[in-house]
Amino acid sequence: MSSQKQSSSAPSPARSWLSRFILKSVVFVAGLGLCGALLGTLALALAWPNLPDLSAMIDYRPRVPLRIYTSDQVLIGEFGEERRNVLRFDEIPDIMKSAILAAEDDRFYQHGGIDWAGVLRAALANIVNMSKTQGASTITMQVARNFYLSSEKTYTRKFYELLLTFKIEATLTKNEILDLYMNQIFLGHRAYGFAAASRTYFGKQLSEITAAEAAMLAGIPKAPSRFNPISNFKRAKARQAYVLGRMRSLGYLTEDEYQQAVAQPIEIKSAAGTPTGRYAVHGEYPAELARQLLYGVYQDDIYSRGFNIYTTIHSKDQEAAYLALREGVLDYTRRAPYPGPEGSVELPDGIENQPEALDELLDSVQEKYPDNGDLLAGVVLSASPTEVKVARSAAEIIDITDKRALRVIARGLTPKAKPELRLERGSVVYVHKRPEYWELINKPSVQAALVSVRAQDGAVAAMVGGFDFEEGKFNRVTQAWRQPGSSFKPFIYASALERGLTPATQISDEPFSLTAEQTGSKAWNPKNYGRAYEPMLTMRQGLYKSKNMVSIRIMQAVGPQYVQDYVTRFGFDRSRQPAVLPLALGAGSVTPLQMAGAYAVFANGGYRVPPYLIDHVTDSSGKVIMRARPTVAGDTLARAIDPRTVYVMDDLLRGVATYGTGARAHRELKRNDIGGKTGTTNDSQDAWFAGFTPKLVAIAWMGFDQPRSLGSGETGGGAALPIWLDYMRVALAGQPEIPPGPMPSGLSRIDGEFYFNEFPPGTAIARVGLPAPGDLPSGAPAQDGIGNLLDQLGADTSAGNSDTQPTRVPF
């Protein structure tokens, strides 16, 4: 009996084994836990000191791009990989904050940086799928990743992310963390932060967005390349619906607000100045030049430090200059012989009746031949002398029937047209909408430039360096060295006034030539335009009519070396203005910007005011870090030429713009305060008009980048002056006319003409005529009989103004 009890009370072998197993398992798990804790502590001890310092967050300095503005605060350029508009936390609307929390982290204000429920959910999903397919990133974790870590899905990176998340939560407030997130997160199309994204996708400030728009923006961070509304509107719309549903369930939206947001149509419209939008003003050339100038100071730092450059450009003037230059170039292109279509494609029969196929073909054409501003690429469907049909898309067929438009392309519509000129089915062309009709016009090959500066301080008001900035950033205003032709003559005349000639001096206009023996190289036989000559002209008449023979004899009288030295006072490079007689015809080299600075001397009373483009620069906080200190007319140190010379030249150049080769300026603008001079070089390779009022100077140029003739009959008055006029009509609108100022002392007006007091009638040089052929010694350059007269006045015909050094026109 007792033995039976004893055996029944003893543990069975199975139960004993189970107890030992449980005990060992507990010990083993405890050991593993202890080892894990020790390893975790060790890892934490090793990793924590290596976590990055949070100074970048505490002292947040986002990578804000360089922005460039006109003087009236219009954005014309933005440079930098990241487009960002930083807002303070209280500047971000509550609806945007609610949408972000609903989409990304609705327990943001409750958890300590890590949502453990979300982590468990993601871990289970990853185990089930046997891959890292899902994450549980909170807003704090995303901030940690964006500031310091990569986005790679590795456990090591995740471990560091968790540690850094704890550190951020311990250092910053929740509002500060959310503020960083909203300004830092990438949202597609180079937009960083929700303020920039609002401008990129909706064309509006963040403060103006609706609940529907906020939900669409809040849906982007999950996959910026796939969920932004430009790249994939359908997916963005689906993601928006999810976010709106979350906002309703969390109480951020009432049922009525939710229904209204769901029903609201979304309009995608990029703001001007964003990567996907256009700028309100075509200021590409001055914006690029301003960037280059600041880059010379700060190098690559300019693209991330939030600098703002405020230029001297005026937005109204700049856009007027852009439009004037475009129209001037297109007008020349209409006059020039039609060169044939841009290219051709195989156009299957009947494709017009297959909209999808036609659109697909046209898309490929427009990739190769993109639109150029208001020049729109298309394909000819049919062509005859009375009508050309051009397809822009299956839904947009343009009929060109106006006789004025057909006249321009007539040589391509004749049955006998050469193959390269022929317009036919499949020809790739550009069309352009004029006010009254559509026209077919080739993409111009000619170039032009226009620059204007304020006469009093040289501030650049407008600058257009070519027909199309996207075709190349070469700025012809500052980089194109061209012969100025007759537009250079006023500087020759000015030098003569200070050497004893007067506007009344009689000068021979008979043909002039030098033999090879006389020049020491080859014969020189310059011509007047149109090969028209007169026996004698006054200096005033010679300038009005732009007579080459008169200018040559004036320069010969004054002395080439003196002229070379004299013109440096206007800002021209001495090395580019050779001391030879052809300089009288503008055979040196200048840029349009140099010409603008030089003509400003005539406009402002005789002061050299170097042109400048940047008024001031601010940092990201708005503090001014650079400011221009321009030279201003009236500064005695800036005096370039005698005020009497300026007064007389102003009168002469007003006469040119009223009665001479530039008379169209006065005729069309109906102002008496305009002075100017046309310029045309040999074989019409360069066409210029340089004109001014007492407040504004503008220079227009036209030519080919690789110099060649613009064509027979093309002159400065016909090619460049129209550009200048179209610009000045806008720039001078509402500006009162400014009469000439008082005559300076030392200058007299006798019998209607001007004389310096030291060169009164009877003493001033009255006549510059031809010498008898026998008066010239063999091999000696012709002196035109003027040397003796200058000698009698005590003038040194070879002496220059040695105290004036060549000066480059700076900004």
Side-chain angles (χ1 to χ4, degrees):
M1 187 77 178
S2 62
S3 63
Q4 191 176 13
K5 287 182 179 179
Q6 204 171 15
S7 63
S8 63
S9 63
S12 66
R15 291 180 61 187
S16 177
W17 177 85
L18 180 62
S19 298
R20 289 196 302 271
F21 175 78
I22 292 173
L23 179 61
K24 289 179 180 179
S25 296
V26 170
V27 172
F28 179 74
V29 170
L32 282 179
L34 181 60
C35 289
L38 290 173
L39 288 173
T41 303
L42 179 62
L44 183 61
L46 293 173
W48 189 269
N50 293 323
L51 290 176
D53 184 74
L54 298 187
S55 59
M57 293 184 178
I58 298 170
D59 184 18
Y60 178 47
R61 296 183 181 181
R63 292 174 60 85
V64 181
L66 168 68
R67 293 189 175 98
I68 301 173
Y69 297 89
T70 64
S71 60
D72 48 341
Q73 314 293 305
V74 176
L75 182 68
I76 58 173
E78 193 170 33
F79 299 90
E81 287 303 312
E82 300 179 7
R83 302 296 197 256
R84 195 191 303 274
N85 300 82
V86 179
L87 297 180
R88 297 190 308 272
F89 184 79
D90 59 358
E91 293 177 320
I92 298 174
D94 289 340
I95 192 65
M96 188 71 252
K97 298 171 187 173
S98 298
I100 293 168
L101 294 175
E104 293 294 320
D105 189 357
D106 61 280
R107 296 187 63 253
F108 172 71
Y109 281 97
Q110 284 76 49
H111 63 63
I114 297 176
D115 185 354
W116 292 108
V119 171
L120 180 61
R121 183 175 61 249
L124 290 174
N126 292 339
I127 291 171
V128 169
N129 291 282
M130 298 301 292
S131 64
K132 297 184 287 292
T133 60
Q134 192 176 122
S137 294
T138 63
I139 285 176
T140 309
M141 294 165 73
Q142 292 183 57
V143 169
R145 185 185 315 137
N146 285 327
F147 267 90
Y148 295 111
L149 303 171
S150 69
S151 296
E152 61 178 345
K153 292 184 177 181
T154 64
Y155 291 111
T156 301
R157 196 274 300 164
K158 203 68 179 176
F159 176 68
Y160 272 95
E161 183 180 301
L162 293 175
L163 295 183
L164 187 56
T165 297
F166 288 132
K167 188 171 184 178
I168 291 171
E169 287 277 346
T171 307
L172 303 177
T173 67
K174 286 288 189 178
N175 284 353
E176 288 173 336
I177 295 170
L178 186 57
D179 180 33
L180 290 172
Y181 176 83
M182 291 187 291
N183 280 304
Q184 178 75 10
I185 194 72
F186 174 61
L187 295 165
H189 286 276
R190 297 168 68 188
Y192 286 77
F194 288 93
S198 179
R199 296 182 66 244
T200 296
Y201 299 121
F202 305 132
K204 58 174 66 175
Q205 300 298 322
L206 190 62
S207 60
E208 302 170 357
I209 64 168
T210 64
E213 292 164 340
M216 185 164 281
L217 292 179
I220 297 175
K222 181 175 178 62
S225 62
R226 299 197 304 273
F227 288 142
N228 78 75
I230 291 178
S231 298
N232 195 325
F233 185 80
K234 187 176 180 180
R235 297 188 73 173
K237 189 71 177 169
R239 178 73 175 157
Q240 177 211 34
Y242 164 78
V243 176
L244 286 173
R246 293 279 297 151
M247 292 175 73
R248 177 183 58 177
S249 64
L250 292 168
Y252 297 142
L253 294 177
T254 65
E255 182 63 29
D256 288 344
E257 290 171 335
Y258 168 77
Q259 294 297 338
Q260 184 179 357
V262 169
Q264 179 189 328
I266 297 294
E267 180 184 2
I268 305 304
K269 178 184 177 184
S270 298
T274 61
T276 52
R278 294 186 177 275
Y279 295 104
V281 173
H282 290 87
E284 298 90 345
Y285 285 101
E288 170 60 17
L289 182 56
R291 181 199 69 80
Q292 293 174 11
L293 293 169
L294 196 66
Y295 184 87
V297 179
Y298 290 101
Q299 301 298 303
D300 288 334
D301 280 354
I302 66 173
Y303 303 123
S304 60
R305 292 178 57 181
F307 290 140
N308 299 293
I309 299 178
Y310 294 89
T311 67
T312 57
I313 296 292
H314 189 274
S315 62
K316 177 176 70 71
D317 285 17
Q318 180 65 28
E319 192 64 11
Y322 169 82
L323 295 173
L325 186 143
R326 296 274 296 191
E327 182 55 33
V329 169
L330 290 177
D331 196 45
Y332 168 83
T333 304
R334 296 182 191 105
R335 295 194 304 271
Y338 176 64
E342 301 286 341
S344 63
V345 295
E346 189 68 32
L347 208 59
D349 292 337
I351 195 172
E352 298 93 318
N353 301 319
Q354 305 171 47
E356 291 186 6
L358 180 57
D359 281 338
E360 185 176 347
L361 184 145
L362 291 172
D363 286 346
S364 65
V365 168
Q366 288 165 4
E367 278 187 21
K368 185 176 180 181
Y369 301 93
D371 293 346
N372 184 287
D374 52 2
L375 295 184
L376 310 177
V379 175
V380 173
L381 297 179
S382 64
S384 74
T386 58
E387 181 185 48
V388 179
K389 284 185 176 294
V390 179
R392 282 274 297 156
S393 69
E396 185 182 7
I397 309 298
I398 296 169
D399 293 324
I400 298 173
T401 57
D402 191 277
K403 291 181 180 179
R404 291 166 290 184
L406 294 170
R407 191 179 304 121
V408 173
I409 58 175
R411 69 195 301 238
L413 297 172
T414 64
K416 297 182 179 180
K418 295 179 180 179
E420 66 270 16
L421 299 179
R422 186 177 299 127
L423 280 166
E424 57 189 357
R425 181 177 174 83
S427 294
V428 179
V429 297
Y430 281 95
V431 292
H432 176 247
K433 185 68 171 72
R434 304 202 74 183
E436 305 89 4
Y437 57 89
W438 281 95
E439 66 177 345
L440 189 156
I441 189 167
N442 272 59
K443 194 172 180 180
S445 56
V446 75
Q447 284 294 343
L450 178 66
V451 60
S452 69
V453 303
R454 289 199 306 248
Q456 297 306 305
D457 63 0
V460 178
M463 174 188 291
V464 185
F467 182 78
D468 179 20
F469 181 79
E470 296 303 321
E471 288 291 310
K473 299 179 181 180
F474 183 72
N475 189 341
R476 293 155 190 86
V477 168
T478 60
Q479 295 176 283
W481 291 93
R482 308 293 296 221
Q483 289 190 343
S486 296
S487 62
F488 196 76
K489 289 176 180 176
F491 308 106
I492 310 298
Y493 278 62
S495 71
L497 292 174
E498 298 193 11
R499 301 290 282 175
L501 277 71
T502 75
T505 299
Q506 295 281 326
I507 302 170
S508 171
D509 185 42
E510 295 289 349
F512 179 93
S513 64
L514 294 176
T515 67
E517 185 180 16
Q518 289 172 315
T519 64
S521 57
K522 59 182 180 180
W524 186 47
N525 299 290
K527 304 288 189 296
N528 277 343
Y529 180 76
R531 305 200 175 195
Y533 303 90
E534 300 177 58
M536 298 289 287
L537 292 170
T538 64
M539 194 164 83
R540 179 183 292 276
Q541 292 169 333
L543 187 60
Y544 287 6
K545 297 181 178 183
S546 197
K547 291 286 192 167
N548 288 343
M549 302 304 109
V550 172
S551 295
I552 291 169
R553 290 189 170 94
I554 289 174
M555 181 161 179
Q556 189 181 39
V558 175
Q561 185 62 56
Y562 178 80
V563 172
Q564 182 191 45
D565 293 332
Y566 186 81
V567 298
T568 62
R569 303 184 191 185
F570 296 87
F572 294 116
D573 291 0
R574 185 192 305 270
S575 62
R576 293 182 181 270
Q577 312 305 328
V580 294
L581 288 182
L583 184 61
L585 308 183
S589 297
V590 301
T591 66
L593 183 66
Q594 277 192 337
M595 290 292 277
Y599 269 83
V601 176
F602 292 140
N604 66 24
Y607 298 93
R608 172 86 206 295
V609 289
Y612 71 103
L613 178 64
I614 297 177
D615 182 77
H616 65 280
V617 179
T618 67
D619 61 16
S620 58
S621 68
K623 179 183 177 182
V624 175
I625 58 175
M626 295 175 63
R627 185 178 293 279
R629 291 181 175 82
T631 302
V632 179
D635 182 347
T636 56
L637 296 177
R639 166 67 66 186
I641 61 175
D642 192 313
R644 298 173 300 174
T645 302
V646 179
Y647 194 89
V648 175
M649 287 306 303
D650 178 63
D651 183 78
L652 289 173
L653 291 169
R654 290 191 188 208
V656 172
T658 304
Y659 311 107
T661 56
R664 183 178 172 184
H666 177 269
R667 186 168 63 249
E668 295 198 14
L669 296 182
K670 296 178 172 54
R671 296 177 67 106
N672 295 313
D673 61 346
I674 294 172
K677 183 70 185 72
T678 55
T680 311
T681 62
N682 281 344
D683 201 26
S684 297
Q685 293 190 0
D686 296 273
W688 296 78
F689 187 77
F692 62 90
T693 68
K695 288 190 175 181
L696 189 67
V697 179
I699 308 295
W701 166 86
M702 183 182 289
F704 292 97
D705 282 339
Q706 297 299 320
R708 60 186 172 92
S709 177
L710 289 166
S712 177
E714 292 292 345
T715 65
L721 178 54
I723 297 174
W724 187 91
L725 283 170
D726 284 349
Y727 167 71
M728 281 299 216
R729 282 191 189 93
V730 177
L732 298 179
Q735 300 294 321
E737 191 173 299
I738 302 174
M743 194 183 308
S745 60
L747 183 67
S748 303
R749 192 161 198 166
I750 303 171
D751 296 331
E753 203 50 278
F754 295 103
Y755 293 87
F756 287 14
N757 286 0
E758 62 268 36
F759 300 122
T763 301
I765 298 171
R767 182 179 182 277
V768 177
L770 284 170
D775 292 344
L776 288 174
S778 177
Q783 290 301 312
D784 224 22
I786 195 65
N788 291 336
L789 288 173
L790 291 173
D791 287 341
Q792 292 172 8
L793 296 173
D796 179 0
T797 58
S798 64
N801 185 22
S802 60
D803 61 341
T804 304
Q805 298 299 318
T807 307
R808 182 179 179 183
V809 179
F811 273 83

